[in-house]
Amino acid sequence: MKAVNLKADQLTAPLGLENRRPVISWNCSGGIRQSAYEYRIIVNDTERFSSEKIDSDEMSFLCPFGFAEKDRVEICICLFDENGEKGEESSLHFEMGIAFWKARWIDPEPEHGRERQPASVLKKEFRVAGTGRARLYITCHGLYRVFINKQRVGDFVLAPGTDDYRRRLQYQVYDVGDMLREGANLIEVVIGDGWYRGNNGIDGHNHVFGDDLALLCQLEVSGEPVLISDESWFASQDGPIRFTDMEIGEVYDSRREEISTWHEVKPADYGYEQLVCSDEVFIKEHEIFEGRRIAVPDQSIVYDFGQNLAGYTSFVLNAEEGQKITIWHGETLDENGNFTQRNIDPGKRNKNGGIPQKTEYICRQGLNVYQPSFSIFGFRYIRVETDIDLTDAQFRAAAVYSDMEQTAGFRCSNEEVNQLFHNCVWSMKSNFVDIPTDCPHRERSGWTGDAAVFVRTGLLLHDCYTVYRKWLKECVLNQKKNGIITNVAPPISRDGDFYSKFIDGSTGWGDAIVIIPYNMYRFSGDRRILEENYDAMKGWIGYLNGLAKKKKMRNMFRRERYRDYIIETGFHWGEWCQPDVDSTSELKENLKTAPKSATAYYFYSCRLLSEIAEILGRTEDAAEYRSLSGRIREAYIRAFTDDGIVRGDRQCDYLRAIEFDLTDRKEENAALLNEMLVRSGYHLNTGFLSTQYLCPVLCRYGYAETAYRLLLQTENPSWLHQVRKGATTVWENWNGIESGGNASLNHYSYGTIAGWLISGVCGIEYENRNIRIRPCPDRSLVYAQAFYKSPEGMIRSSWRYSGEGIDFEFELPAGAAAEVVLPDRTEHTLTAGVHHLTVKQI
């Protein structure tokens, strides 16, 4: 038996760890079960620790001591199988980050202002006496690309990533040993505006974090600096990137690639206190799609890449010097079949007149090869404006997202359902660019509600733990003194505009600070994610406690004690984007009186926090929140139900009551929900918050046929309606391209159905090392198969109808066991390996 897939704090062989005492984790390969393990720790080529044999099947441990800055660490692990046989040693290498900088911040621009500037290019010649282990530590205000001796360093796109740069700024560490040569060397750094100074969010605020650009870098060979950023560097604003913005796009003049005018840089004092080493996977370029020119009615030049995505286009073409090509990026064609950006138009609220998603390129003579440096867009189509002969031109689209491994897959006998799963995966890829965002074009902001809705599905589909962990730190940093969790993190406006401040504090959105860490713990078993966010959770509940005490004027003198636990005031989005409800009207009603969802989420977060406090050993807190959640539950039942039976025709109310445990009469409410769906012709009317619960709740209470009818529904509103309309990602609202307005076609919120395909249809459930498989087959599909690469290893589940029976196949990884419950209610305990079971059709 051997340890594989070794990680330090969920990262594979990281160069530069911020956490001085990481958790080491692994999977097993070979054998049935791990019975014990032992490990050694080697620091800077010296063995520092050797454990005894540890009798445990745990596949992780907390390092027994902390490491120092720049330590080079090797962890060597041996596993013992079920027979006590010792296996081959496996090793993991990583390095710690830097704590003390000799480098100084430098400013490349002669002067600052609110006028947009070209990208800055910085350079420095330096000498190296001898090559060896070489590390480049680097960050900036803005976005950087760095080159040593004309070779690009690393493949991090949009480095150093997004943060609330006032409080937290990530730096990166690169191995540059192969790029250096003895003697003279040249380093060049290009810096663009990025999140720091460029346009942010739907309103297009810029200069959110400052008016400057700045660089900090330090290159060391064998632990000694050979290059630091200081006043000896030179800079220029006369390079080819004449304008750069993540939303608007880029203007590039290839005739200016040879820069002749340089000036001295200015030293700056921006401090080091906010610096942290990158603690998540990098943003990288992934899949490449070839553009196919299509005919459109207005005769414009349009290319289709076949996939909606977040990324950029590149091209290769021949042209005359000075010829210009402009490329517009959009998600869809309009009702006439022409290119359009209407659905992503932010309207008059945008301070820059829109989000054109446009690149402009001025050609050199002959061959031109180009892709943007500091812009990404949300698109499937491009419209090209040029007088260049494009007969032999090549256009490609590169998908750009955080370097997350896809950890789940699904396939069945229905190709439309397979396309739906594909769409869910791609909406996640498009919206996990350093942080979870709502959409990759119009807003591209870290909305809390979207991230909370999707967390369980996201953790299934991709190894996104570090993305969520990093983003939660932004949520904590931006929490207000009164406990409010802002709707968006990091901020997208300087000190928050009036609109942002007004809408902050919505239930269902702010509850992300509780819901997300709770689910991350359920997947990982790592209590640190709960500890890191615990104070913020308590602050949020404290805010809701205060909000519950505020009453509408008409209720101020009512004597019912239970009303102290009902939320009536504050701004709340509510269910949001329900298919048969006008969202503007819904918000107006919510402002008159908070929706019942506000109290439901108040209870839910309070209930989860009581569990979290128990896990962390904070027994007094656990008792307090358990008692409080009981009082909220009683108040909810009295205010919004008939003795526990939900009132009304909104499916979301039934789902929340059942899923959140707001009533003891779950079976009756599930029956009423099912009857409502049958009467509606199997049409859903749920929105952002509760669509995730629809099919799971139906299956859990014996209404699998209804769940499958919803899954396979092709009339609007439905998931397959989008597929039949040609969608390759999940839409923001159910109407999508038929809404006639600003509807993104790349939002992951409704993509939670992919989670049910894995955990419901194929039944793979994973929680804190416990595997349970409860497949829920239905004759509407001939077969279904899924996999999930869990922290324990690969889990597979499949079923197929065969004659009068259903054939099942399950595969479990080494060291794992699973409880399997089949449709005939028989229970089986399975161990590592492949297993075949058959039941008669129920």
Side-chain angles (χ1 to χ4, degrees):
M1 177 170 278
K2 183 178 180 180
V4 296
N5 194 28
L6 279 75
K7 294 184 178 181
D9 274 357
Q10 304 288 333
L11 295 168
T12 302
L15 272 185
L17 262 185
E18 180 67 19
N19 180 19
R20 295 293 189 232
R21 197 179 171 198
V23 166
I24 309 302
S25 60
W26 64 89
N27 297 143
C28 297
S29 176
I32 301 297
R33 183 179 61 85
Q34 171 191 308
S35 62
Y37 67 91
E38 62 185 28
Y39 65 92
R40 298 183 297 127
I41 300 179
I42 300 166
V43 182
N44 301 325
D45 302 321
T46 300
E47 185 170 303
R48 287 271 305 276
F49 182 85
S50 181
S51 77
E52 297 179 347
K53 180 181 177 182
I54 301 167
D55 293 322
S56 172
D57 63 356
E58 292 284 339
M59 298 182 192
S60 66
F61 64 84
L62 176 66
C63 285
F65 54 87
F67 303 109
E69 70 154 347
K70 297 188 286 187
D71 273 351
R72 293 174 288 111
V73 182
E74 181 182 5
I75 307 290
C76 301
I77 301 176
C78 281
L79 305 184
F80 296 80
D81 67 14
E82 66 279 4
N83 298 315
E85 293 292 327
K86 184 176 180 179
E88 179 184 348
E89 189 174 73
S90 302
S91 62
L92 167 70
H93 297 261
F94 59 90
E95 294 182 17
M96 307 310 295
I98 188 171
F100 301 100
W101 293 79
K102 294 185 178 180
R104 298 181 63 188
W105 282 101
I106 54 175
D107 185 336
E109 295 181 321
E111 58 184 30
H112 302 140
R114 289 303 176 92
E115 295 295 321
R116 303 298 292 273
Q117 303 291 322
S120 289
V121 184
L122 300 91
K123 71 173 184 178
K124 167 74 176 178
E125 294 183 357
F126 63 101
R127 299 189 66 82
V128 174
T131 59
R133 183 177 58 84
R135 299 292 183 263
L136 176 66
Y137 304 88
I138 184 169
T139 190
C140 74
H141 290 176
L143 300 176
Y144 72 79
R145 286 166 65 102
V146 57
F147 302 83
I148 293 179
N149 298 324
K150 302 300 180 179
Q151 296 181 67
R152 184 181 172 193
V153 176
D155 53 4
F156 191 160
V157 180
L158 308 178
T162 180
D163 286 292
D164 183 345
Y165 301 117
R166 301 165 300 183
R167 302 178 176 95
R168 187 175 189 272
L169 172 59
Q170 295 181 105
Y171 66 88
Q172 286 74 48
V173 186
Y174 299 101
D175 181 350
V176 294
D178 292 341
M179 297 181 176
L180 297 178
R181 56 194 178 215
E182 290 193 30
N185 291 265
L186 173 68
I187 186 170
E188 299 165 288
V189 184
V190 186
I191 302 181
D193 290 351
W195 289 282
Y196 186 88
R197 197 172 73 173
N199 290 351
N200 283 272
I202 191 170
D203 295 317
H205 292 281
N206 51 46
H207 295 79
V208 170
F209 300 102
D211 297 335
D212 65 291
L213 295 181
L215 173 69
L216 180 72
C217 77
Q218 183 163 315
L219 198 161
E220 298 185 358
V221 175
S222 299
E224 295 298 322
V226 298
L227 166 78
I228 61 172
S229 52
D230 58 18
E231 60 271 18
S232 66
W233 286 55
F234 290 90
S236 177
Q237 285 71 47
D238 292 332
I241 303 177
R242 309 310 302 154
F243 177 88
T244 176
D245 186 274
M246 290 185 63
E247 293 185 350
I248 295 175
E250 188 166 291
V251 177
Y252 190 96
D253 188 344
S254 64
R255 301 168 300 180
R256 306 177 70 121
E257 290 178 346
E258 297 297 326
I259 303 172
S260 59
T261 57
W262 298 88
H263 59 80
E264 294 180 346
V265 300
K266 298 178 295 186
D269 184 16
Y270 294 122
Y272 307 97
E273 297 80 11
Q274 76 276 34
L275 297 178
V276 296
C277 197
S278 284
D279 54 1
E280 67 164 325
V281 291
F282 290 175
I283 308 167
K284 293 187 179 182
E285 185 179 295
H286 291 92
E287 296 90 344
I288 304 295
F289 297 89
E290 297 287 339
R292 176 178 61 89
R293 186 166 177 177
I294 60 173
V296 294
D298 65 6
Q299 305 300 308
S300 59
I301 303 171
V302 175
Y303 286 81
D304 178 5
F305 296 101
Q307 176 61 55
N308 202 9
L309 54 86
Y312 41 65
T313 51
S314 64
F315 60 73
V316 179
L317 53 82
N318 285 284
E320 301 293 328
E321 182 177 344
Q323 283 187 295
K324 181 178 177 181
I325 180 170
T326 301
I327 302 174
W328 305 76
H329 299 74
E331 286 192 305
T332 188
L333 305 178
D334 67 16
E335 63 273 14
N336 299 312
N338 294 314
F339 177 90
T340 183
Q341 291 184 330
R342 184 177 61 199
N343 72 304
I344 61 172
D345 182 4
K348 295 180 180 179
R349 64 183 292 183
N350 185 274
K351 302 182 183 307
N352 306 291
I355 301 175
Q357 296 201 130
K358 179 178 68 171
T359 55
E360 299 180 47
Y361 180 90
I362 302 172
C363 298
R364 68 169 72 86
Q365 184 67 34
L367 182 66
N368 289 261
V369 180
Y370 168 76
Q371 72 178 37
S373 296
F374 304 120
S375 298
I376 64 168
F377 312 117
F379 69 101
R380 171 178 170 170
Y381 301 91
I382 58 171
R383 187 182 75 218
V384 180
E385 297 177 357
T386 188
D387 61 356
I388 300 170
D389 181 0
L390 300 179
T391 302
D392 297 322
Q394 292 180 322
F395 291 88
R396 293 185 173 93
V400 173
Y401 52 88
S402 292
D403 194 27
M404 314 170 295
E405 178 188 6
Q406 185 172 335
T407 49
F410 175 85
R411 187 157 188 84
C412 70
S413 56
N414 187 308
E415 286 302 323
E416 291 181 324
V417 175
N418 294 336
Q419 181 66 45
L420 171 61
F421 185 84
H422 168 97
N423 294 0
C424 299
V425 168
W426 271 95
S427 274
M428 181 177 179
K429 290 179 177 181
S430 304
N431 285 291
F432 273 60
V433 180
D434 208 49
I435 61 171
T437 60
D438 58 333
C439 64
H441 36 65
R442 187 181 65 225
E443 297 186 55
R444 55 178 80 184
S445 303
W447 280 92
T448 49
D450 304 57
V453 162
F454 199 71
V455 61
R456 283 198 64 79
T457 298
L459 290 167
L460 274 173
L461 294 182
H462 287 92
D463 185 5
C464 60
Y465 188 95
T466 64
V467 180
Y468 268 116
R469 182 178 63 194
K470 174 262 177 78
W471 176 73
L472 282 169
K473 293 176 181 178
E474 300 297 328
C475 293
V476 171
L477 284 174
N478 283 276
Q479 185 174 27
K480 297 183 179 180
K481 291 181 179 179
N482 63 356
I484 282 180
I485 298 295
T486 57
N487 282 332
V488 171
I492 54 175
S493 62
R494 187 184 288 230
D495 299 323
D497 57 13
F498 171 79
Y499 179 72
S500 296
K501 291 178 180 178
F502 177 73
I503 65 175
D504 278 338
S506 170
T507 49
W509 273 250
D511 298 282
I513 199 63
V514 181
I515 294 170
I516 292 175
Y518 176 78
N519 280 285
M520 292 174 70
Y521 168 76
R522 290 173 65 187
F523 268 77
S524 69
D526 190 344
R527 302 191 335 163
R528 293 179 303 165
I529 196 66
L530 303 178
E531 293 165 346
E532 290 168 7
N533 295 279
Y534 187 73
D535 288 342
M537 298 178 198
K538 290 183 65 175
W540 170 247
I541 295 299
Y543 164 72
L544 295 183
N545 287 340
L547 195 61
K549 300 296 185 290
K550 296 179 181 179
K551 296 302 166 190
K552 292 292 185 180
M553 182 65 70
R554 65 179 179 272
N555 292 326
M556 285 183 66
F557 303 105
R558 296 179 67 170
R559 299 292 183 180
E560 299 97 334
R561 184 171 177 273
Y562 76 87
R563 301 200 71 84
D564 289 344
Y565 305 101
I566 298 293
I567 292 178
E568 297 181 0
T569 61
F571 177 89
H572 305 277
W573 293 104
E575 178 65 10
W576 194 240
C577 282
Q578 297 172 86
D580 55 349
V581 175
D582 177 72
S583 294
T584 302
S585 300
E586 180 183 14
L587 285 182
K588 290 179 180 178
E589 288 299 315
N590 292 348
L591 286 171
K592 292 178 184 178
T593 299
K596 63 184 74 173
S597 63
T599 301
Y601 272 92
Y602 178 27
F603 163 76
Y604 187 50
S605 282
C606 196
R607 194 199 90 195
L608 295 186
L609 186 51
S610 71
E611 292 184 36
I612 291 167
E614 198 73 56
I615 293 165
L616 296 179
R618 306 189 185 210
T619 54
E620 290 185 8
D621 282 0
E624 176 186 343
Y625 291 119
R626 189 160 48 246
S627 175
L628 175 58
S629 64
R631 294 192 293 273
I632 302 168
R633 188 177 191 264
E634 178 185 356
Y636 186 93
I637 290 171
R638 293 185 63 179
F640 302 121
T641 74
D642 289 329
D643 194 25
I645 297 297
V646 175
R647 302 189 293 259
D649 60 355
R650 304 312 305 175
Q651 297 162 15
C652 60
D653 293 334
Y654 292 84
L655 290 166
R656 267 189 290 273
I658 296 167
E659 186 69 20
F660 290 3
D661 190 27
L662 277 161
T663 174
D664 292 328
R665 303 176 71 175
K666 298 180 186 64
E667 291 81 3
E668 294 166 87
N669 281 301
L672 291 171
L673 172 65
N674 183 67
E675 291 172 11
M676 184 188 307
L677 286 161
V678 173
R679 287 196 307 270
S680 72
Y682 301 98
H683 285 99
L684 53 79
N685 66 20
T686 50
F688 260 38
L689 292 181
S690 62
T691 296
Q692 59 179 313
Y693 305 127
L694 195 49
C695 290
V697 163
L698 289 167
C699 266
R700 192 183 313 146
Y701 288 92
Y703 303 107
E705 180 184 353
T706 301
Y708 274 87
R709 283 179 176 266
L710 287 173
L711 171 68
L712 300 175
Q713 174 69 262
T714 57
E715 295 178 355
N716 192 30
S718 70
W719 292 284
L720 294 192
H721 174 74
Q722 300 178 19
V723 171
R724 290 203 170 181
K725 289 294 181 179
T728 60
T729 47
V730 178
W731 296 348
E732 176 182 12
N733 63 41
W734 295 109
N735 294 326
I737 59 174
E738 298 164 326
S739 65
N742 294 345
S744 162
L745 303 183
N746 203 346
H747 262 60
Y748 54 62
S749 298
Y750 294 134
T752 54
I753 188 64
W756 180 69
L757 294 176
I758 302 294
S759 61
V761 172
C762 290
I764 299 174
E765 300 175 10
Y766 180 87
E767 181 174 347
N768 197 3
R769 302 203 65 212
N770 295 311
I771 303 170
R772 191 176 188 187
I773 304 178
R774 295 187 295 179
C776 184
D778 186 85
R779 272 284 187 185
S780 56
L781 298 180
V782 176
Y783 74 88
Q785 57 191 38
F787 72 82
Y788 170 49
K789 189 176 180 182
S790 75
E792 303 295 299
M794 183 65 75
I795 305 168
R796 298 182 187 274
S797 172
S798 66
W799 52 260
R800 176 182 291 272
Y801 279 90
S802 174
E804 296 301 318
I806 313 173
D807 297 328
F808 295 89
E809 181 176 295
F810 307 111
E811 181 180 341
L812 299 173
E819 177 190 341
V820 176
V821 181
L822 296 180
D824 62 359
R825 299 185 180 179
T826 57
E827 298 184 5
H828 308 263
T829 299
L830 305 181
T831 56
V834 178
H835 305 269
H836 298 273
L837 299 171
T838 299
V839 300
K840 292 183 178 180
Q841 184 180 348
I842 305 301

